[in-house]
Amino acid sequence: MDVAVNTRAYCKMLLHAAKYPHCSVNGLLLSQKSKEKETKHLNFVDCIPLFHLSLTLAPMLEVALAQIDSYCKSKGLCISGYYQANEYLGDASPTIVSYKVADRISENSGSGESLIVMLDNRKLSFECEEPAHRIHRYHDGKWKQLPHESSQNMETGCLAAASALIQSKTYEQLTDFDNYLDDITQDWQNLWINEQLKNLA
């Protein structure tokens, strides 16, 4: 399977990790809804940051999934992936939490599968010189990391946009679902970041 991560999805993932460098963070990746049951190509077009306080609170996840699923239906999107950045610098491996959430997404997705995107903290920097993500797929009964050539297809200018946003400290205003649950006036869609990306383009 070939997987593409567009600029909006990639930048929001990195901004989430940059805002909480001392925490594990996670979120959901969205793609365009496909009429085909199986597809050999998946393009992540947006992401919704979820949590940074605790990744294991099931009731909070249920609330988030319900709202995001409703949002996706109104936009012709679907939840097709899960991302996570672990707390420790050298740890970029999926955890039990990531497997469970990905399984839950698979149960509800039209394609019957979901992917896990892990951020590699060692590759996160102000310059964003190289992709900082690894993509994992459940295949033949096991979760396996996809080869770089099939999993790191990115839009031109993606890394430059991520670097510009991080250097301007845009991450300070990013809202995840933890922030939203504390204050429901907060925008978990982070639409203003979408506007900033249009200006950068």
Side-chain angles (χ1 to χ4, degrees):
M1 172 182 282
D2 290 328
V3 184
V5 181
N6 83 355
T7 301
R8 182 185 297 180
Y10 186 78
C11 286
K12 287 183 181 178
M13 282 193 293
L14 259 61
L15 291 174
H16 196 197
K19 183 175 182 179
Y20 301 105
H22 55 295
C23 302
S24 296
V25 300
N26 67 355
L28 301 176
L29 290 155
L30 313 181
S31 65
Q32 294 288 343
K33 189 169 288 187
S34 174
K35 294 180 181 179
E36 299 179 14
K37 187 68 176 177
E38 294 184 8
T39 178
K40 294 182 179 180
H41 181 79
L42 182 64
N43 182 24
F44 293 124
V45 298
D46 204 349
C47 94
I48 306 295
L50 287 179
F51 309 119
H52 66 275
L53 294 176
S54 175
L55 310 191
T56 59
L57 295 177
M60 301 299 99
L61 179 62
E62 294 298 326
V63 170
L65 286 173
Q67 291 201 34
I68 297 168
D69 186 57
S70 177
Y71 165 77
C72 287
K73 287 177 179 176
S74 71
K75 300 293 184 181
L77 301 171
C78 62
I79 302 170
S80 50
Y82 169 88
Y83 77 85
Q84 183 170 305
N86 292 331
E87 180 179 1
Y88 300 108
L89 180 65
D91 183 7
S93 299
T95 64
I96 293 176
V97 173
S98 55
Y99 293 143
K100 286 185 176 180
V101 178
D103 287 342
R104 174 66 188 278
I105 295 170
S106 297
E107 292 171 6
N108 297 329
S109 72
S111 65
E113 79 167 330
S114 67
L115 302 179
I116 296 174
V117 176
M118 297 299 301
L119 295 181
D120 186 345
N121 296 320
R122 293 168 297 184
K123 295 182 179 180
L124 297 177
S125 68
F126 284 107
E127 292 76 21
C128 299
E129 294 176 338
E130 59 180 320
H133 66 291
R134 303 175 180 178
I135 299 178
H136 301 257
R137 182 189 185 198
Y138 192 76
H139 187 64
D140 293 335
K142 295 180 180 179
W143 282 97
K144 300 178 180 178
Q145 183 178 328
L146 294 180
H148 287 300
E149 60 271 16
S150 67
S151 68
Q152 293 191 340
N153 184 15
M154 302 168 72
E155 289 182 323
T156 302
C158 181
L159 295 178
S163 177
L165 291 177
I166 290 175
Q167 292 190 45
S168 64
K169 298 186 178 180
T170 302
Y171 54 82
E172 291 180 348
Q173 283 78 46
L174 176 130
T175 298
D176 66 12
F177 243 83
D178 274 329
N179 303 138
Y180 168 75
L181 292 171
D182 285 337
D183 177 3
I184 60 172
T185 65
Q186 298 293 307
D187 172 27
W188 52 262
Q189 298 171 39
N190 292 287
L191 297 178
W192 65 277
I193 294 179
N194 300 349
E195 292 302 314
Q196 281 201 280
L197 286 168
K198 286 181 183 178
N199 294 334
L200 285 173

